[in-house]
Amino acid sequence: MMPHRIRLQWEVATRHPKSIVGCQVRRDPAEATERYTHWINNLTNEQLVTQVFTSHGPTVIMPTWFCSREWFCHVGKFDEGGKGTPEDLLYFYEHLRKGGEVFRVDQCLLLYRYHPKAATHSVLEETIWTYRLLFLEERVLSHWTSFTIWNAGKQGRKLFRSLSSTNQKKVIAFCDVDKNKITKGFYTYEESKENPKPRIPIIHFRDASPPFIICVKLDLTDGQFEENLSQLNLKEGVDYHHFN
């Protein structure tokens, strides 16, 4: 850590005693996980809360965390399930459930080393998916009466299949830019035990109605997806959430 890390994060934490305070990081090697590192360092203050459902995990990463002992004890202990348990994600979710705030000092205060034997690699993608989905249903979908899934491809269909039956019934459409998917017209959930099987319309994103759960990865389309989203003049955390 950099010499002034504790002072700068302590100053924020004393003003916000129910908070986890993070910071920006520098990767070693520099080219490791470039998209992830960009995400860590460039989220806005609002996105530190709105983007908690993405596959990247906590919006301030655990090696940067700073909080008061009193608040840590209030949230509770880390899950000691051992190898394969995403203890940082589970603690972060509990922190948010108990009304915790999230802040980041916008200075690079930590050298974050990457190595292939890090414990994070022992956590299965499906484990992370399950916890993210449950948190999304708890925090967002339970308050919505209907929504659209942005992405009629693999990830969007997987989200639909993973939802509880109650939340599946709230999905009014998939939206996409792929002409082939839109021309097809519908996604039929063949594995469903219902009769008739659910058929969800597939429409162009400009014809879709918010709110959206977005299953499109950021920073992978040369800015085209981000431009499409910005054209709709929606508010993140109200009209849509990222689940990519």
Side-chain angles (χ1 to χ4, degrees), residues 200-213:
I200 313 301
I202 302 174
I203 59 180
H204 194 275
F205 78 89
R206 289 195 184 91
D207 300 321
S209 299
F212 297 96
I213 297 297

Side-chain angles (χ1 to χ4, degrees), residues 25-61:
V25 302
R26 176 165 56 88
R27 262 313 212 179
D28 180 27
E31 68 276 8
T33 62
E34 289 180 287
R35 287 179 57 247
Y36 179 52
T37 305
H38 181 268
W39 183 79
I40 291 169
N41 288 335
N42 291 280
L43 290 170
T44 65
N45 290 335
E46 293 78 15
Q47 288 172 333
L48 293 176
V49 175
T50 60
Q51 294 203 10
V52 298
F53 308 106
T54 74
S55 59
H56 286 326
T59 49
V60 288
I61 60 172

